Amino acid sequence: MGQFLTKLEGIDDGSLAAAAAQGDQRAFAVLVSRHQPDVLHLVSRFCDDPDGMEDLTQEIFVKAYLNLGTLRNGAVFRGWLHRIAANTCIDWLRRRKSDVDLVAGIEESLPDERDQARLEARDARRRLEAAMTVLGPRDRMLVVLLGLEGKSVEEVAGMTGMTQVNVKVRAFRARRKLKAYLEKEHG
């Protein structure tokens, strides 16, 4: 079977997606192995827990598998998969938003660490998380993809389903909102 999968490695995404849509699980396995590092990297920008990242990545590939029939042009599999990943991360952020407030309250009641560097890193992370909460999930996704991931406007538009103009406008407004928040809260 390993030799058969090796032969599938040379086949383009479009052909593999078409075969997977017809029920070929080996073809989908090749797509997963080919695209999992990129999806995992994207997910890592939103979730820093290894178990959570793995669960979120698995959820993305399950959604992709279940929706293969909606993929009209297999040649655009990568962009289609990234759109599913982006939307899944947005949904995850929405679900998690209420949990973050609870965790922040618990963290405040814990005793401080002796290590000053660790304390400063935690404070910086908290400030960044607080700043990002002023943004809605979609705008947060744009800031992360454009600013932290270094994706182009064209790539982000393809991943999110927005127009390039809409990506630019929303990202500009989101950055302006972040700047105003940081200036207000931290001088």
Side-chain angles (χ1 to χ4, degrees):
M1 175 145 155
Q3 185 180 20
F4 184 76
L5 288 179
T6 304
K7 288 180 181 178
L8 288 177
E9 289 289 335
I11 297 175
D12 65 282
D13 286 352
S15 300
L16 290 171
Q22 297 299 317
D24 187 342
Q25 293 180 359
R26 292 176 292 192
F28 191 72
V30 172
L31 288 169
V32 170
S33 78
R34 188 177 287 174
H35 294 282
Q36 189 169 15
D38 288 341
V39 171
L40 191 56
H41 182 71
L42 175 65
V43 167
S44 72
R45 294 298 190 166
F46 298 92
C47 178
D48 57 3
D49 171 44
D51 291 333
M53 289 181 347
E54 188 177 316
D55 290 346
L56 201 49
T57 301
Q58 184 175 9
E59 181 181 343
I60 290 164
F61 280 107
V62 166
K63 285 181 180 181
Y65 184 76
L66 294 174
N67 290 293
L68 276 170
T70 66
L71 181 61
R72 290 185 181 18
N73 178 359
V76 297
F77 178 81
R78 183 177 185 273
W80 177 79
L81 178 63
H82 280 245
R83 182 178 293 183
I84 290 172
N87 289 333
T88 303
C89 287
I90 288 171
D91 291 344
W92 180 80
L93 286 171
R94 286 182 182 138
R95 289 190 310 255
R96 187 173 175 263
K97 185 174 176 156
S98 61
D99 296 340
V100 169
D101 295 333
L102 175 67
V103 170
I106 292 171
E107 281 183 352
E108 293 299 324
S109 67
L110 295 175
D112 290 339
E113 275 83 3
R114 293 180 207 156
D115 182 11
Q116 185 64 25
R118 182 179 283 169
L119 185 62
E120 289 172 7
R122 179 184 292 165
D123 185 50
R125 190 183 85 200
R126 232 182 264 148
R127 281 184 294 190
L128 178 60
E129 287 176 357
M132 292 297 275
T133 61
V134 301
L135 302 177
R138 187 168 286 264
D139 289 342
R140 181 176 176 177
M141 171 74 79
L142 291 175
V143 168
V144 168
L145 291 173
L146 291 167
L148 299 176
E149 289 284 320
K151 303 275 187 208
S152 70
V153 170
E154 183 179 356
E155 289 174 308
V156 173
M159 291 170 67
T160 61
M162 291 192 234
T163 64
Q164 290 184 31
V165 171
N166 197 357
V167 168
K168 289 178 186 178
V169 169
R170 287 186 74 136
F172 173 79
R173 290 178 182 161
R175 288 183 190 119
R176 188 172 56 189
K177 198 176 205 181
L178 278 176
K179 181 180 178 190
Y181 175 84
L182 290 170
E183 286 174 351
K184 177 182 170 194
E185 294 297 316
H186 305 290

